[in-house]
Amino acid sequence: QESHSPCAEPDTCQDQFVTAETVDNLAWLPLASIVTFAVAYSMGMGPLPWVLNAELFSKEAKAHSSSLCASFNWLCSFMVVKFSPSLETLIGASGSYLTFAALAACGTLLIVITVPETKGKTEEEIQQGFKDTSEDIESADIKRDNSSSKPLINDISVLR
């Protein structure tokens, strides 16, 4: 049987953990990783844009927002497919996968922080939640503007 070990002689090898037996024992790992990714993606990040379209936008905005969200979703998918080989050539396979994993983790964190829970709510309740949030933001902006509206020049004679 041919050895796949990176060492010429097993006794002189620097890395005792990477042997032909170890590589053969982990042959299932790439397939399991791909299946895990496919299942996790289909339950999470994959359908998320389509679910958000149905729940977060009003009836009047659904047509435009759905087309924008679908276009952005497919643009991101295209960019991943387009730049994966270049990124893998540039920083290696492990760096490429680590980069995409970090982006997915950041996206997950952003979703957890910013996307409101809509379970059990009607469309009107969801829209009211957005109106309340925008009113809070507007009132905070008004307070900030009023507190910082001091004149820069108190004496107009300076300008003459």
Side-chain angles (χ1 to χ4, degrees):
Q1 182 177 359
E2 185 178 320
S3 174
H4 299 287
S5 176
C7 305
E9 295 179 33
D11 295 334
T12 62
C13 187
Q14 296 284 334
D15 191 357
Q16 296 290 328
F17 299 106
V18 181
T19 63
E21 184 179 349
T22 305
V23 172
D24 289 340
N25 288 338
L26 294 176
W28 59 271
L29 188 60
L31 179 62
S33 298
I34 290 172
V35 169
T36 302
F37 168 77
V39 169
Y41 185 79
S42 66
M43 291 187 326
M45 296 293 261
L48 189 67
W50 314 109
V51 172
L52 289 177
N53 277 331
E55 291 195 6
L56 296 181
F57 297 116
S58 66
K59 292 175 186 173
E60 298 81 23
K62 276 189 183 171
H64 287 60
S65 61
S66 294
S67 63
L68 285 173
C69 289
S71 298
F72 183 73
N73 186 23
W74 285 110
L75 176 69
C76 290
S77 297
F78 169 77
M79 289 174 56
V80 167
V81 171
K82 173 75 175 155
F83 293 114
S84 288
S86 302
L87 188 62
E88 192 170 324
T89 301
L90 186 66
I91 62 175
S94 59
S96 175
Y97 289 117
L98 184 61
T99 301
F100 287 126
L103 287 172
C106 290
T108 301
L109 183 64
L110 183 69
I111 288 166
V112 167
I113 291 171
T114 61
V115 175
E117 178 60 58
T118 59
K119 184 177 181 180
K121 293 183 179 180
T122 64
E123 187 174 334
E124 290 79 23
E125 291 172 331
I126 295 169
Q127 293 303 318
Q128 186 60 42
F130 284 120
K131 287 178 184 174
D132 292 344
T133 303
S134 66
E135 288 171 2
D136 291 343
I137 291 170
E138 287 174 10
S139 66
D141 286 343
I142 290 170
K143 286 179 185 175
R144 187 190 68 220
D145 289 344
N146 288 339
S147 67
S148 65
S149 62
K150 297 175 186 171
L152 295 175
I153 301 173
N154 290 328
D155 188 7
I156 193 89
S157 64
V158 175
L159 298 174
R160 291 182 195 175

